[in-house]
């Protein structure tokens, strides 16, 4: 439901934009957003590539230069784990007193396991630190570089200088082989490099946005001319469409009136026939059927005069009820006497009428029920109880008949049970239900309720109905 609402809002917004702005204006706005977004992405990608390329080229050049001077002085690491004092003195001399040290702020020589065998910061020699990802890659033979943040423990000296630096790692191989005996780490002053990177980025951004602007102007000029033609044609079409829409609406209105009238006539006739059939079966037919059962009992058995009088009285009452029901049906297919009764009184009336006709006992359990219910609901409950109790008496001999009516939220629940022999009940779609059951089901489901029968051989029968009372206003409106 939420997705549909959002879709309707989006459609209304697009319609409003289409009517308020021309095609050229909409294209200009959309194209501007797309091109600007694309330019930002391209510019960022170019900047990253420039920075990566410049940094890497600087790293490779510096590493080759440094290795050409440093590597020969640390070849002894191929045979031992420490540098001799003479080698340390030569490395210090190379860093401080030769052109090698120009631009190189500091450097370290790493042995396997994260141990420093030489550092321009003499206090770090011999100490061991966790290996960084760049150091691990260098041990695998890769020259790496990055603009360092100097946040490692061994960078305490470099951090104090508060200047941008490029951190380079270069593997050092044993003379005449590819075996890596150490890794040289250099820190190069990056102030000049950052200036070059900034100029390169500015140039790339200027080129990207310049080309983008030219593309935008050319595309807008092409679309604007077509938009003017389309706008003129659209205005003419809208005028014609409005005229046609008025004619279509009038025709649709007349067609709908004819179709609704025909549909209502057919539906009303069908409802009247079904309702009359159900009421005739549920009311007078039940009473006449009961009277016939009692007559059959009189003809089959030799009864005492008292029993004959009792049965005759019951037959008379059943036929009287049937006559009254037929009169009520003739008066309007309803039960006028139920109109001013609450639901509890409706239940008590149908139960008492059943007990009077059958001389059987029905256990009634009523919870607190609403007083104001629609007439269709009252009739549905009345007929449901009448048909269900008649069935329990006919098929279950009235053994442990029970009626229970209660509320769950806005659902009215009605339940009729017996302890008779039961039967094997099939779903309505695969069974041929009797007219009485069909009538009960149709009454309940026509009011938006749910009807069910639960029965099994030797386990009795339960007839249940659930009626939503919050839908009764619609019943009245219908």
């Amino acid at each position: 439901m939420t997705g549909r609402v959002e879709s309707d809002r989006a459609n209304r917004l697009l319609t409003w934009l289409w009517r308020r702005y021309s095609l050229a204006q909409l294209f200009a706005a959309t194209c501007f957003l797309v091109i600007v977004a694309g330019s930002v992405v391209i510019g960022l990608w170019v900047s990253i590539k420039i920075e990566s390329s410049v940094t890497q080229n600087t790293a490779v050049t510096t590493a080759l230069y440094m290795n050409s001077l440093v590597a020969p002085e640390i070849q002894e690491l191929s045979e031992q784990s420490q540098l001799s004092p003479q080698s340390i003195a030569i490395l210090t001399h190379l860093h401080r007193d030769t052109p090698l040290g120009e631009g190189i702020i500091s450097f370290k020589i790493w042995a396997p396991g994260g141990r420093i065998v030489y550092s321009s910061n003499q206090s770090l020699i011999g100490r061991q630190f966790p290996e960084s990802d760049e150091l691990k890659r260098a041990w695998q033979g890769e020259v790496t570089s990055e603009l360092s943040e100097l946040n490692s423990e061994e960078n305490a000296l470099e951090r104090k200088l508060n200047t941008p630096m490029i951190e380079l790692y270069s593997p050092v191989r044993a003379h005449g082989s590819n075996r890596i005996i150490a890794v040289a780490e250099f820190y190069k002053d990056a102030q000049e490099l950052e200036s070059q990177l900034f100029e390169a980025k500015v140039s790339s951004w200027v080129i990207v946005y310049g080309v983008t602007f030219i593309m935008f102007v050319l595309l807008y000029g092409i679309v604007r001319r077509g938009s003017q033609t389309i706008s003129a044609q659209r205005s003419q079409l809208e005028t014609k469409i409005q005229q046609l829409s008025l004619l279509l609406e009038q025709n649709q209105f007349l067609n709908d009136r004819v179709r609704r009238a025909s549909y209502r006539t057919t539906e009303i006739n069908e409802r009247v026939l079904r309702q009359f059939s159900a009421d005739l079966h549920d009311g007078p037919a039940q009473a006449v059927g009961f009277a016939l059962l009692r007559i059959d009992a009189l003809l089959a058995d030799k009864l005492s005069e008292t029993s004959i009088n009792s049965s005759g009285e019951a037959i008379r009452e059943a036929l009287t009820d049937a006559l009254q029901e037929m009169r009520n049906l003739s008066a309007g297919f309803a039960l006028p006497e139920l109109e001013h009764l609450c639901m509890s009184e409706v239940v008590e009336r149908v139960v008492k009428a059943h007990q009077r006709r059958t001389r059987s006992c029905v256990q009634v359990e009523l919870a607190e029920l609403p007083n104001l219910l629609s007439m269709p609901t009252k009739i549905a409950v009345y007929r449901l109880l009448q048909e269900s109790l008649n069935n329990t008496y006919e098929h279950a001999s009235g053994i442990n008949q029970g009626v229970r009516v209660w509320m769950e939220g806005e659902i009215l629940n009605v339940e009729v049970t017996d302890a008779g022999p039961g039967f094997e009940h099939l779903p309505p779609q695969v069974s041929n239900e009797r007219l009485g059951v069909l009538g009960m089901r149709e009454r309940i489901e026509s009011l938006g309720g749910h009807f069910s029968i639960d029965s099994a051989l030797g386990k009795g029968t339960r007839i249940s109905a659930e009626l939503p009372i919050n839908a009764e206003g619609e019943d009245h409106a219908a």
Side-chain angles (χ1 to χ4, degrees), residues 373-376 471-478:
L373 290 174
S374 67
M375 193 63 181
E472 289 163 11
E474 299 177 1
D475 298 337
H476 287 299

Side-chain angles (χ1 to χ4, degrees), residues 81-102:
S81 61
Q82 300 288 341
L83 288 174
S84 64
Q86 293 81 1
S87 297
I88 293 176
I90 292 173
L91 292 174
T92 303
H93 171 70
L94 288 173
H95 178 237
R96 293 179 179 176
D97 303 327
T98 66
L100 171 66
E102 294 180 4

Side-chain angles (χ1 to χ4, degrees), residues 14 41 55 60 106 111 141 146 169 186 210 241 261 263 273 293 304 309 321 326 367-369 383 398 430 432 455:
L14 290 175
V41 173
T55 303
V60 172
S106 67
E146 66 173 353
Y169 289 88
F186 305 97
I241 288 173
Y263 176 82
L273 291 175
L293 288 175
S304 64
N309 291 336
D321 290 340
M326 286 187 287
E368 184 176 352
L369 301 174
R383 293 303 191 193
V430 298
N432 295 322
S455 183

Side-chain angles (χ1 to χ4, degrees), residues 441-461:
R441 183 183 300 279
E442 185 176 350
R443 286 181 186 277
I444 299 303
E445 293 181 353
S446 68
L447 297 178
H450 177 72
F451 175 85
S452 63
I453 297 178
D454 181 16
S455 183
L457 294 175
K459 296 185 178 180
T461 302

Side-chain angles (χ1 to χ4, degrees), residues 230-436:
I230 292 174
S231 296
Q233 293 176 347
R234 184 178 66 182
S235 178
Q236 296 174 0
L237 286 174
E238 286 179 347
T239 302
K240 294 181 179 179
I241 288 173
Q242 289 177 356
Q243 296 173 353
L244 290 174
S245 297
L246 291 175
L247 294 175
L248 288 175
E249 288 178 358
Q250 294 175 358
N251 290 336
Q252 186 65 37
F253 175 75
L254 294 175
N255 289 334
D256 288 343
R257 287 187 60 182
V258 173
R259 187 172 59 254
R260 285 197 300 268
S262 175
Y263 176 82
R264 282 198 302 269
T265 301
T266 302
E267 184 180 21
I268 290 171
N269 289 337
E270 280 297 319
R271 284 186 178 181
V272 169
L273 291 175
R274 287 200 304 267
Q275 185 69 33
F276 179 76
S277 175
D279 287 341
L280 191 62
H281 176 271
D282 294 344
Q286 296 296 324
V288 172
F290 171 74
L292 290 174
L293 288 175
R294 299 306 296 263
I295 292 174
D296 290 340
L298 286 175
L299 296 176
D301 299 329
K302 294 181 179 181
L303 303 177
S304 64
E305 183 178 353
T306 303
S307 297
I308 292 174
N309 291 336
S310 176
S311 296
E313 180 63 23
I315 293 171
R316 187 187 67 80
E317 291 180 358
L319 293 177
T320 300
D321 290 340
L323 179 61
Q324 184 61 39
E325 292 275 359
M326 286 187 287
R327 287 174 176 172
N328 291 335
L329 290 174
S330 300
F333 309 136
L335 298 175
E337 68 273 12
L338 301 181
E339 184 175 358
H340 302 291
L341 300 181
C342 65
M343 182 52 66
S344 298
E345 293 171 336
V346 170
V347 175
E348 291 174 354
R349 171 165 294 198
V350 68
V351 169
K352 288 180 179 179
H354 177 76
Q355 291 181 139
R356 184 176 65 252
R357 289 197 305 268
T358 62
R359 302 294 190 267
S360 61
C361 180
V362 179
Q363 296 179 354
V364 180
E365 181 180 346
L366 297 177
E368 184 176 352
L369 301 174
N371 291 326
L372 298 177
L373 290 174
S374 67
M375 193 63 181
T377 300
K378 294 179 182 179
I379 295 175
V381 173
Y382 184 93
R383 293 303 191 193
L384 173 71
L385 293 176
Q386 185 183 54
E387 176 68 18
S388 300
L389 290 174
N390 286 334
N391 287 342
T392 62
Y393 182 78
E394 180 179 353
H395 301 291
S397 301
I399 301 174
N400 292 339
Q401 300 174 103
V403 172
R404 183 179 173 219
V405 185
W406 74 99
M407 291 291 301
E408 286 185 2
E410 295 183 341
I411 303 297
L412 177 66
N413 292 270
V414 182
E415 185 178 270
V416 180
T417 58
D418 65 60
F423 59 94
E424 185 177 356
H425 180 65
L426 297 175
Q429 62 268 24
V430 298
S431 66
N432 295 322
E433 292 182 334
R434 299 173 56 202
L435 180 59

